[in-house]
Amino acid sequence: MFCKNCGQEIDDKAVVCPHCGVSTQPEAPAAVKTNTLAIVGFVLSFFVAIAGLVCSILARKQCRERGEGGAGLALAGIIISIAEMAIALLYFIIIVIVMIGAAAAM
Ligand SMILES: [Zn+2]
């Protein structure tokens, strides 16, 4: 094969060009940047559900617009936030029912 940098003929098994030292390996595709907001939203979803939900929704929008990674993480943040809010609502409803029941018993 020939070096893609200097054009000299080099051994097919050579990892680097002996003439110019440039790697013969195909360049690794640039790693897709993970959206920062997606990470923030995911972490927040465990502590502050509403903040996590807002960040995750914005992160998904940014991932689409900028082609950044982290859309899956943002989706996880949205699901976790909604699940937490649903559980909190369920507890609230149970407490209200128990209180009404207790009031009615008196
Ligand atoms: Zn070379």
Side-chain angles (χ1 to χ4, degrees):
M1 65 174 167
F2 295 92
C3 173
K4 61 178 163 36
N5 183 52
C6 65
Q8 298 260 25
E9 188 167 8
I10 48 173
D11 192 281
D12 283 350
K13 290 185 286 293
V15 179
V16 291
C17 172
H19 304 285
C20 68
V22 163
S23 171
T24 60
Q25 306 304 304
E27 272 172 44
V32 177
K33 187 179 167 291
T34 302
N35 186 280
T36 312
L37 202 58
I39 300 166
V40 173
F42 182 73
V43 173
L44 270 179
S45 69
F46 287 100
F47 305 103
V48 192
I50 187 71
L53 182 66
V54 171
C55 283
S56 296
I57 290 168
L58 288 174
R60 264 182 79 76
K61 192 168 168 284
Q62 284 186 359
C63 286
R64 272 197 305 269
E65 285 170 357
R66 302 178 190 175
E68 287 178 332
L73 198 63
L75 184 64
I78 292 169
I79 292 168
I80 292 165
S81 301
I82 290 172
E84 274 176 35
M85 285 191 282
I87 291 166
L89 187 68
L90 202 67
Y91 273 123
F92 179 75
I93 291 167
I94 290 168
I95 289 166
V96 168
I97 290 169
V98 168
M99 284 171 75
I100 291 168
M106 280 193 284

